[in-house]
Amino acid sequence: MARGRADVNSRKKLVITVLVLVIVGAFFYFYSQSSDSSIVEYGDKSLRQFGLKGDKDVGESFSTLVGREDSAIPKSIPVCDDRLSELIPCLDRNLIYQTRLKLDLSVMEHYERHCPIPERRYNCLIPPPPGYKIPINWPKSRDQVWKANIPHTHLATEKSDQNWMVVKGEKIVFPGGGTHFHYGADKYIASIANMLNFPNNNINNEGRVRSVLDVGCGVASFGGYLLSSDVITMSLAPNDVHQNQIQFALERGIPAYLGVLGTLRLPYPSRSFEFAHCSRCRIDWLQRDGILLLELDRLLRPGGYFAYSSPEAYAEDEEDRRIWREMSALVERMCWKIAAKRNQTVIWVKPLTNSCYLKRLPGTLPPLCRSNDDPDAVSGVKMKACISRYSDQMHKAKGSGLAPWPARLTTPPPRLAEIHYSTKMFEKDVEVWQQRVDNYWSKLGNKIKAGTIRNVMDMRASIGSFAAALKEKDVWVMNVVPENEPKSLAIIYDRGLIGAVHNWCEAFSTYPRTYDLLHAWTVFSDIMKKECSPEDLLIEMDRILRPKGFIIVYDKRSVVEYARKYLRALHWEVVIMYDIDQGKDSDDDDYHAVVIIQKKMWLTSDSIQVSE
């Protein structure tokens, strides 16, 4: 009898084991099937669990990559934990903490870029926050955004007396105020133009002021209100205690970039801006022999202005008076002059030539930079406490020699010669890209509705002709130039456009879901030559792109076909693909092709809702 009961128990255990295995098998089957739909569940897996370890392709040849079997392409890519919905991989405080980087907090090193090694990359798709909605269209977005898209309202409370932002139901509203301009950025901007006696109190000064750098920009209302004057602003702020400033700016459709005046040069070439601005930006300009002010000096054009709105300019108490005395002495040694001063705002102007620098007494500080210092070298280059002198050509010209805006967009700038471009080559580039952009838009057809595309990124911008061709569209373009081509970015700024130097083997300094259209002209071919991972780049592009946004890949056909294999896993879909016959290289059998892709509205545990 005992043996019979044991046999019955054994049979029961066997049946239970088989049932468990069947249930587990069914679970994995349905999970794999569901990955083919537009619904994606939360998860914290990474591609490493699927056999794709970040930069595992480093060292593989280009032909090996594009010829990879479909079996090596994942059918799905896991979704990151929802706590990573605002992940900026190279500005991740958790990474800094976990890797125990020894950084000098007093000089803002912890706000600079520190990218994860391949083994520490998440390699998963960044989910939107619960309740995410399609962003409000431009120009309405300048003044209001969906609260669900950036569920952070501490700035509204902290800056309640300064009119930065106000929470109203499901929306966050931006009245246009700032720390120094409670009554609106428009009135403040007009007062600055009035201080400088610009015609009609218009800060663009008849097209002579086009590019502005706003450091410590808050939610970028200053830059947002300058757009109506045909002035474009690079609004700059770090991912600090007010960490969502730049996220708000980009959600509003205002040009902005995550960065800090710390120890490294900003990713912009010398002489890029006509105007710099700091409104109570809480920057210690006197630190380290004035190195931060000298970085601004590097970025300002001949005759450029720096508007400084701060209590120190008014000098009410002893500490303010001390700062004002020391700052006045520093800028005087830098050969800046006061152009205007009123209430708590002072505007300095930079000299047009080297003459003042050469007249200074020997040993005067700050010194001139050495003759072999390249002021346009920015990738990983430390700031220098020295004055970047003008080239002989610019010294003789007594200025930058640029045409007023908008003529400067299509006028060959003097610095073209530095990148060995002739006027004829420049004009041909303008013509070719106008044709290409017209073709892109005709192919997109009714996919693009008014106001749905605002933030555009040209991921390999050359000299900016893609952005120039979009002048009549109501968009702005972040022109990204490879770190080994900074001179090219100088031409882009000379044309009245903006951009940054970047290496696409790393993540870009922006929040997730901040661009409506990415233009990838030969970007994949370029990073493959550098032996970086194209899969990582695809995931990074998905991070940057808003739901329903577009990607245009223009590359060798084999590269385009390779990228297409990942569309299903990324929840992207092809709008159209076509060959570029004239793109064939004389020594290459590989034609060029274009594929236009749209990012799907994949869902997490909460539905994404469509806005008005």
Side-chain angles (χ1 to χ4, degrees):
M1 292 293 290
R3 188 165 49 246
R5 285 195 298 270
D7 290 340
V8 169
N9 290 337
S10 297
R11 282 196 295 272
K12 284 182 178 179
K13 289 179 180 178
L14 178 61
V15 169
I16 292 171
T17 302
V18 170
L19 284 173
V20 169
L21 289 173
V22 169
I23 291 169
V24 170
F27 173 81
F28 279 110
Y29 172 79
F30 286 115
Y31 177 81
S32 65
Q33 292 300 307
S34 68
S35 66
D36 294 341
S37 71
S38 62
I39 306 295
V40 180
E41 297 298 324
Y42 282 131
D44 58 1
K45 303 181 184 72
S46 74
L47 285 182
R48 295 176 189 84
Q49 293 171 282
F50 290 77
L52 293 174
K53 298 185 179 178
D55 280 347
K56 84 181 195 69
D57 297 310
V58 172
E60 291 187 74
S61 68
F62 172 83
S63 59
T64 302
L65 282 167
V66 298
R68 176 176 294 170
E69 295 294 327
D70 286 354
S71 60
I73 308 297
K75 289 185 178 180
S76 66
I77 296 174
V79 178
C80 301
D81 187 279
D82 59 355
R83 289 170 294 183
L84 298 176
S85 67
E86 294 175 351
L87 175 69
I88 311 163
C90 294
L91 296 170
D92 183 6
R93 289 198 195 89
N94 289 327
L95 173 74
I96 292 173
Y97 175 76
Q98 291 166 8
T99 53
R100 299 180 181 179
L101 296 179
K102 295 181 180 179
L103 304 175
D104 189 342
L105 275 59
S106 68
V107 294
M108 303 298 178
E109 272 192 304
H110 54 307
Y111 292 142
E112 294 180 325
R113 287 173 58 85
H114 303 282
C115 297
I117 59 175
E119 291 74 20
R120 295 191 69 92
R121 291 176 182 170
Y122 286 99
N123 288 323
C124 48
L125 303 182
I126 302 295
Y132 180 83
K133 299 183 180 185
I134 293 298
I136 295 170
N137 290 348
W138 180 266
K140 286 185 179 179
S141 63
R142 188 197 73 171
D143 302 323
Q144 56 184 342
V145 302
W146 294 115
K147 182 173 67 175
N149 292 8
I150 310 179
H152 301 281
T153 57
H154 61 281
L155 279 177
T157 304
E158 185 177 337
K159 304 291 184 180
S160 60
D161 61 331
Q162 298 170 12
N163 281 327
W164 278 33
M165 48 190 270
V166 179
V167 178
K168 290 188 176 180
E170 292 188 332
K171 294 178 179 177
I172 295 175
V173 177
F174 300 87
T179 305
H180 191 76
F181 40 92
H182 305 179
Y183 301 107
D186 50 351
K187 296 181 178 62
Y188 174 68
I189 290 166
S191 71
I192 289 176
N194 178 264
M195 288 172 66
L196 293 169
N197 296 316
F198 288 168
N200 303 314
N201 290 340
N202 192 328
I203 202 165
N204 73 16
N205 193 22
E206 298 181 326
R208 295 180 184 87
V209 173
R210 164 64 181 171
S211 305
V212 172
L213 176 67
D214 186 18
V215 293
C217 64
V219 293
S221 289
F222 181 74
Y225 278 80
L226 281 172
L227 289 166
S228 60
S229 298
D230 258 351
V231 172
I232 191 163
T233 306
M234 181 64 82
S235 295
L236 183 79
N239 185 24
D240 61 7
V241 290
H242 299 150
Q243 57 186 289
N244 302 99
Q245 297 171 100
I246 295 301
Q247 191 178 18
F248 279 119
L250 291 167
E251 184 74 11
R252 296 172 70 185
I254 299 171
Y257 184 83
L258 271 165
V260 65
L261 284 165
T263 66
L264 301 174
R265 283 178 172 175
L266 294 176
Y268 320 123
S270 67
R271 307 185 300 279
S272 293
F273 301 96
E274 281 90 29
F275 204 102
H277 174 253
C278 159
S279 173
R280 297 198 187 185
C281 53
R282 299 195 298 182
I283 293 174
D284 178 7
W285 295 107
L286 296 173
Q287 65 173 281
R288 292 176 283 159
D289 302 317
I291 196 169
L292 304 185
L293 207 58
L294 289 160
E295 173 65 0
L296 277 194
D297 183 81
R298 181 183 73 85
L299 296 173
L300 280 175
R301 298 195 193 279
Y305 299 96
F306 175 44
Y308 179 57
S309 295
S310 181
E312 292 86 18
Y314 190 70
E316 282 191 330
D317 59 34
E318 184 53 40
E319 179 61 13
D320 287 342
R321 284 195 286 270
R322 180 193 68 79
I323 293 172
W324 174 250
R325 285 195 301 271
E326 293 185 22
M327 198 160 175
S328 297
L330 172 61
V331 297
E332 184 177 357
R333 297 194 303 272
M334 291 168 56
C335 292
W336 290 9
K337 304 291 185 184
I338 291 180
K341 187 173 183 290
R342 183 186 299 166
N343 299 329
Q344 290 188 19
T345 299
V346 60
I347 304 174
W348 287 288
V349 60
K350 184 181 174 182
L352 287 169
T353 69
N354 291 327
S355 298
C356 174
Y357 305 143
L358 301 176
K359 292 177 182 176
R360 299 187 315 159
L361 295 174
T364 300
L365 297 177
L368 294 179
C369 295
R370 295 180 179 179
S371 57
N372 62 353
D373 175 67
D374 182 1
D376 294 327
V378 296
S379 184
V381 176
K382 293 283 188 181
M383 289 182 189
K384 299 177 181 179
C386 59
I387 299 171
S388 299
R389 71 182 84 194
Y390 303 129
S391 65
D392 291 342
Q393 174 196 2
M394 197 164 282
H395 172 74
K396 292 175 183 176
K398 295 184 178 180
S400 58
L402 298 176
W405 178 265
R408 73 169 61 174
L409 185 64
T410 52
T411 302
R415 287 200 273 189
L416 263 184
E418 295 181 17
I419 61 168
H420 309 292
Y421 248 65
S422 66
T423 297
K424 186 176 181 180
M425 292 165 66
F426 177 87
E427 292 170 347
K428 180 64 176 176
D429 195 71
V430 170
E431 178 187 346
V432 165
W433 278 107
Q434 186 63 63
Q435 293 172 355
R436 288 174 178 170
V437 168
D438 290 344
N439 202 20
Y440 292 157
W441 250 249
S442 68
K443 300 292 186 186
L444 280 163
N446 60 7
K447 285 277 186 179
I448 298 181
K449 297 177 183 178
T452 57
I453 291 183
R454 173 60 184 168
N455 301 350
V456 177
M457 178 184 288
D458 192 1
M459 297 175 67
R460 194 169 182 227
S462 185
I463 59 171
S465 293
F466 168 82
L470 290 170
K471 182 182 181 296
E472 301 306 320
K473 314 290 184 186
D474 208 357
V475 303
W476 68 273
V477 181
M478 176 67 77
N479 293 279
V480 181
V481 169
E483 77 287 355
N484 58 335
E485 301 174 16
K487 297 287 186 183
S488 172
L489 188 57
I491 304 304
I492 289 169
Y493 273 95
D494 284 355
R495 298 180 71 176
L497 305 168
I498 61 170
V501 169
H502 181 64
N503 175 7
W504 280 115
C505 295
E506 300 174 349
F508 193 75
S509 292
T510 191
Y511 282 86
R513 302 172 302 278
T514 44
Y515 285 88
D516 302 297
L517 187 149
L518 306 178
H519 179 239
W521 173 66
T522 67
V523 175
F524 285 94
S525 290
D526 187 51
I527 70 154
M528 286 173 173
K529 288 175 184 175
K530 296 175 181 176
E531 298 187 331
C532 296
S533 167
E535 291 97 333
D536 284 350
L537 180 58
L538 287 166
I539 293 172
E540 171 64 4
M541 291 166 74
D542 184 82
R543 185 185 73 87
I544 292 173
L545 192 65
R546 287 171 170 171
K548 287 292 185 180
F550 296 92
I551 295 173
I552 301 174
V553 179
Y554 183 131
D555 218 309
K556 292 182 178 181
R557 185 177 180 90
S558 58
V559 176
V560 171
E561 289 286 3
Y562 170 73
R564 279 190 64 184
K565 295 177 181 179
Y566 281 85
L567 300 190
R568 186 179 182 184
L570 289 160
H571 307 282
W572 299 351
E573 59 185 357
V574 173
V575 175
I576 192 170
M577 179 171 171
Y578 56 95
D579 289 325
I580 306 293
D581 293 337
Q582 66 269 31
K584 183 179 180 183
D585 298 327
S586 59
D587 59 347
D588 195 338
D589 292 332
D590 195 357
Y591 285 85
H592 284 78
V594 171
V595 61
I596 301 178
I597 300 159
Q598 187 171 26
K599 181 177 177 178
K600 289 182 182 180
M601 291 275 288
W602 53 266
L603 311 179
T604 57
S605 58
D606 290 279
S607 296
I608 297 178
Q609 304 167 42
V610 178
S611 70
E612 56 194 18

